[in-house]
Amino acid sequence: MPTIAAISTPNAVGGISVIRISGEKSIGVAEKIFRSTSGKKISEMQGYTCAHGAVVDGEDTHVDEVILSVFKAPKSYTGEDVVEISCHGGVYITKKILRLIFENGAKPAEAGEFTKRAFLNGKLSLTQAEAVIDLISAGGKSELKYAIALKDGAIFRRIDKIKRRIISVLGDLAAWADFPEDDIPEVDPENLLETLKGIYESLVETNKTYDYGRIIREGINTVISGKPNVGKSTLMNCLSGFERSIVTDVAGTTRDIIEETVQLGEIKLRLSDTAGIRKTDDIVEGIGVNLAFKRIDEADLVLALFDNSSEITDEDLKLIEKLSNRKSIAVINKIDEKSALDRNLINENFKYIVEISAKNNEGIEGLINAVNEMFLHEDIEAEKGIIANERQKNCITKAEELVLDSINALEQGELLDAITIILDEAAAYLLELTGERVSETVLNEVFSRFCIGK
Amino acid sequence: MSFEMGKYDIIIIGGGHAGVEAGLVAARLGCKTVMFTISLDQIANLPCNPSIGGTAKGHLVREIDALGGEMGRASDASVIQSRMLNKGKGPAVHSLRIQADRVKYHNYMKRVCELQENLDIKQAEITEVIVEDGEVRGVVTSLGGIYYANAVIISTGTYLRSTIHIGEASYDSGPDAALPAKGLDESLKKHGIELRRFKTGTPCRAHRRSIDFSVLQEQCGDEEIFPLSFETDKSTIKNLVSCYIAYTNEETHRIIKENLHRSPMYSGRIDGIGPRYCPSIEDKVVRFADKDRHQVFVEPMGIDTDECYLQGLSTSLPEDIQLKFLRTIKGFENIEIMRPAYAIEYECCNPTQLRSTLEFRQIKGLFGAGQFNGSSGYEEAAAQGLVAGINAVSRVFGREMLILDRASSYIGTLIDDLVIKGCQDPYRMMTSRSEYRLILRQDNADQRLIPTGYRIGLVSAERYNRLKSKMKEIDEEIKRVSKLNIAPSIKLNDFLIEKGTSPLSTGCKLADLIRRPQLDYSTIAPFDVERKLLSDDISEQVNLQIKYDGYIKKQLEHINQMRKFESKLLPEDLDYTQIRGLRLEAMEKLNKLKPENIGQASRISGVSPADISILVVWLEQKGRQNVS
């Protein structure tokens, strides 16, 4: 049975989220994304033990600090090898970790699948069977409902279009292979390569909208950062005052960070107040900086505040360095005061720079425009549709990988029978979203498009 | 008035390609067998095109051969032209196709049947199947003769209540002026078997001397010939004839379009559903109106005849229009028709009533095979005949039935498709129907299926041992080239550059070089000095297995997963409406199709992954209840 994974805590902002991986390869999958503090490997851990460490992505970049627990078959909930990762509650971070797990070989768990496996492996008693069935059935129904709802959506139409392009290519290949004596245009590897590259680009682009979709739904996790007294809370108040409707107030979460969700134009920001950091700041400054930097790591967007009235400080430099390769906007505050700031350094390091006076509520429009510009018009067009859940994301990612494989195989000069096998699988992932099957779909394509037969 | 005429283990109704394979297998496995045919002169007839094999069909013939069937040998005995199709598109789609001498093929098969111990062949029309208590007991002939048996195989081809249409004319007839089978369909319906009406068509036969071949394009056979049977010595096969290609034109199309009202297909007199991959010329002209020409292949029907088959021109237009449009074709200006083209409608069963063994679910001992099961094609029919024959024997002796799964063969894929998905039009095998086609190649059918044929008792120990030693040789050679280190040298690097691939800077294994698309096992031979002389066949296998190693491994992983599902058996009498949690659509489909295992259930459209999960949990629940 394939190794599966899912978030097993409610999908909301909470103290801690738990991601569960179950199956033969769960330890191997976790190993690829986890670096323990002690340096010990997961495969060396005993069952029922945990380790402190970090989840890292493909470039070995730190994603989150986590506690990882290992349960070895058969002594686990499902009866298989299970790894549970407890991470820091935020929806974004949790999903990012889940996605890394999928990228490293696990599949999204079906509704009720952990419980189903627990039952199949004798972990649950016979009397619990009906409960298991109800769980699967309810999950299946809601998934179906969701899938039907999705059919009307822009993303569905978008995937459908890509799917049809792959099916069309497979139709060409099938007709050409199965009806060699009929009057069918030859499949030219050069053209095929071009078509596949086009399909690949569309998949990559669609995949990108996934992050964007998450941002639209959940808001952009935004941190206002800068040295003490630069005007962080004034800006926060400014933005709160500007926005027309405060959606929610989430106060007093476990990490004691106050978040406000603010709708700015088409974009929703989840602003983090740095009040907590400042308080700590007074006691031990170093800890404050570390905490602030940790928040930056988790953020989708950083508003980096600089003081127009003072020269660049070491703290400013550290912030600039920290923000390289991150989505950030340089916000120069206090423009109502006499300028002492070296603008060159800012100009060199930021693509987006806005000037404001938080105190006088000036220039806030410009900041909002910059945010909208950054998230709505860069790379992605909003209307093209958004991938709505992790399953779709996973299917698209798999299809993307396979189409890339087929491109590579073709470029290396592999024969077309091998190429079709790879493309069959890519198409299967996209068809999975609509419950269709490759073979019939391709044959229908062949018969509708080509004049074949003796 | 009826009277008892005999007792057999197995009765076969029909002596076409399915019937012949079924009869031979049953007799060879020791069952007292009788094969009935409406005309002894129609045994293994090729009423449509005089060719065997082709894409995916060539695979089927080789699989039949590996399992101990007759079709491959009969083809090799009657070849008049041989070609390997799809060269250059990859070994998975290489397909052997031969032109057969139609009379020779029939004679060969009839003779093999006559010589077969335990097999009686009788000319008779069966009008009734006797069923008692859900079990088949025998058959009754139109003359009143009763024959008893423990198993009956129906392989009526296109003969069951068949009607021929040519333009406005129609009459009850089987192909090639044979009598149609009337009565049996009523008997089957009475026993609860659901029948349906399919249609197929065949082009006309024309006289060789009336065709001007000098203006047609010639198509010769291959220089290198591969037999269809693994047992045939290739030196015994020669190309004896050429085929020719002609083209229809705008004038041909105009005549067809103007006379559509005289085609029974278009006037609505034919209800039968025709095959999508084999459209009539009127279909082609109407549906693909933008094409200004269509190909016509002129294929000789044999060596001792001047009849030529005009592939591509099947039609049900009237005879006068046939002649008129034919004569517009370049080279056919003076053509003389010997047998006009016709459409034929026939009764066949809905194959979802069958198990994977080809036995009817509701009638023990009754099997279906060939076109009666909704397929089309000689090869598809023979493949099913073989499997039905083997399983009828199992039924008689109470042995384990043979189920070939999708990963084992095209035969298994064909049967699985038929019994689980059913068919909306006559089913033809195609390579794109197999998800495991990189493994199910025509070149390795012997390796895939001879062990099964041997286990059943259809393949001799001698042939089986030959296969084992062949596989050992392949295996050893693969191991050798996988271990053999090749050092870079100027000579080698010059060779690599010349072949368009990158030179070596450090040593590598020979297998790594073979894996490069620009190279193969034989081209690299000069740099493999220790190589033993191996047969072409073995070299080919070594080459393919190394080249496709990555893909083969990946397909094997899929196969292992599939087989796990396939091994979870579902009870046949299961009432799915009693299983909580299944969606309504799934319940209905499952109740109708009664899949034999979870794997089959998962291939039914309308059964979702959640439904499958519920079935798996249900099976576990039931299993535990039975233990406690």
Side-chain angles (χ1 to χ4, degrees), chain B residues 42 64 74 125 140 223 270 277 405 426 451 458 464 516 580:
Chain B
Q42 302 277 332
I64 292 166
E125 185 200 338
V140 185
E223 265 176 43
I270 294 184
Y277 47 83
D405 71 23
L458 288 167
Y464 176 57
R516 294 188 180 183
R580 277 187 55 199

Side-chain angles (χ1 to χ4, degrees), chain B residues 261-535:
Chain B
H261 60 282
R262 296 184 64 195
S263 160
M265 285 298 294
Y266 280 81
S267 60
R269 273 192 299 116
I270 294 184
D271 317 316
I273 305 157
R276 290 186 293 175
Y277 47 83
C278 190
S280 61
I281 186 68
E282 48 266 42
D283 257 355
K284 293 189 205 177
V285 167
V286 171
R287 284 191 51 219
F288 297 92
D290 55 324
K291 289 199 75 164
D292 51 14
R293 64 175 201 180
H294 295 278
Q295 295 184 113
V296 181
F297 291 86
V298 183
E299 304 175 4
M301 298 281 286
I303 291 300
D304 307 320
T305 174
D306 281 329
E307 272 189 83
C308 290
Y309 176 91
L310 304 183
Q311 195 207 95
L313 290 178
S314 102
T315 179
S316 57
L317 283 164
E319 212 179 354
D320 58 327
I321 304 303
Q322 290 187 25
L323 191 64
K324 210 166 152 193
F325 80 67
L326 279 172
R327 287 190 169 169
T328 63
I329 293 170
K330 197 174 161 200
F332 292 180
E333 291 83 356
N334 299 306
I335 204 161
E336 285 300 336
I337 295 175
M338 294 175 76
R339 308 185 201 212
Y342 62 88
I344 183 164
E345 281 187 292
Y346 56 96
E347 298 288 314
C348 57
C349 80
N350 177 355
T352 61
Q353 301 168 95
L354 301 163
R355 297 195 184 103
S356 306
T357 57
L358 296 180
E359 187 177 22
F360 277 92
R361 276 200 304 268
Q362 70 265 43
I363 301 172
K364 198 173 166 188
L366 186 66
F367 294 79
Q371 270 176 300
F372 174 71
N373 288 352
S375 66
S376 89
Y378 314 139
E379 305 80 357
E380 287 86 345
Q384 294 170 65
L386 187 76
V387 171
I390 291 169
N391 285 326
V393 172
S394 297
R395 172 58 71 218
V396 170
F397 292 139
R399 286 189 202 142
E400 195 193 334
M401 297 264 175
L402 173 71
I403 295 177
L404 294 169
D405 71 23
R406 299 182 71 84
S408 73
S409 55
Y410 274 87
I411 301 179
T413 308
L414 160 72
I415 294 175
D416 187 68
D417 278 350
L418 284 174
V419 304
I420 281 302
K421 294 179 193 154
C423 52
Q424 273 61 58
D425 66 325
Y427 180 102
R428 177 195 152 154
M429 201 62 220
M430 288 173 233
T431 61
S432 45
R433 294 198 196 263
S434 168
E435 58 276 47
Y436 307 117
R437 57 188 174 275
L438 281 186
I439 288 180
L440 306 187
R441 302 186 311 270
Q442 56 92 30
D443 61 74
N444 68 2
D446 56 341
Q447 298 173 52
R448 290 187 280 117
L449 294 170
I450 281 181
T452 307
Y454 173 67
R455 182 170 53 77
I456 295 166
L458 288 167
V459 167
S460 68
E462 189 267 326
R463 190 178 177 191
Y464 176 57
N465 288 331
R466 246 189 301 139
L467 174 80
K468 278 208 295 195
S469 56
K470 172 181 167 182
M471 287 172 81
K472 194 166 156 247
E473 265 189 272
I474 295 167
D475 214 42
E476 279 169 0
E477 182 63 358
I478 290 175
K479 282 201 185 112
R480 187 186 70 83
V481 297
S482 303
K483 281 190 197 145
L484 184 66
N485 287 307
I486 294 289
S489 67
I490 295 168
K491 205 178 139 205
L492 174 64
N493 281 347
D494 285 349
F495 169 80
L496 293 176
I497 292 163
E498 186 205 315
K499 288 281 173 190
T501 176
S502 53
L504 290 183
S505 52
T506 58
C508 73
K509 305 290 180 202
L510 185 66
D512 296 331
L513 288 179
I514 295 172
R515 223 165 267 133
R516 294 188 180 183
Q518 297 79 6
L519 306 173
D520 61 32
Y521 179 75
S522 61
T523 54
I524 201 77
F527 301 93
D528 183 11
V529 285
E530 292 159 36
R531 185 179 292 188
K532 278 191 295 182
L533 190 66
L534 295 170
S535 70

Side-chain angles (χ1 to χ4, degrees), chain B residues 574-587:
Chain B
L574 185 53
D575 178 2
Y576 289 88
T577 59
Q578 299 304 307
I579 297 185
R580 277 187 55 199
L582 285 179
R583 287 171 314 110
L584 196 63
E585 185 192 3
M587 272 181 199

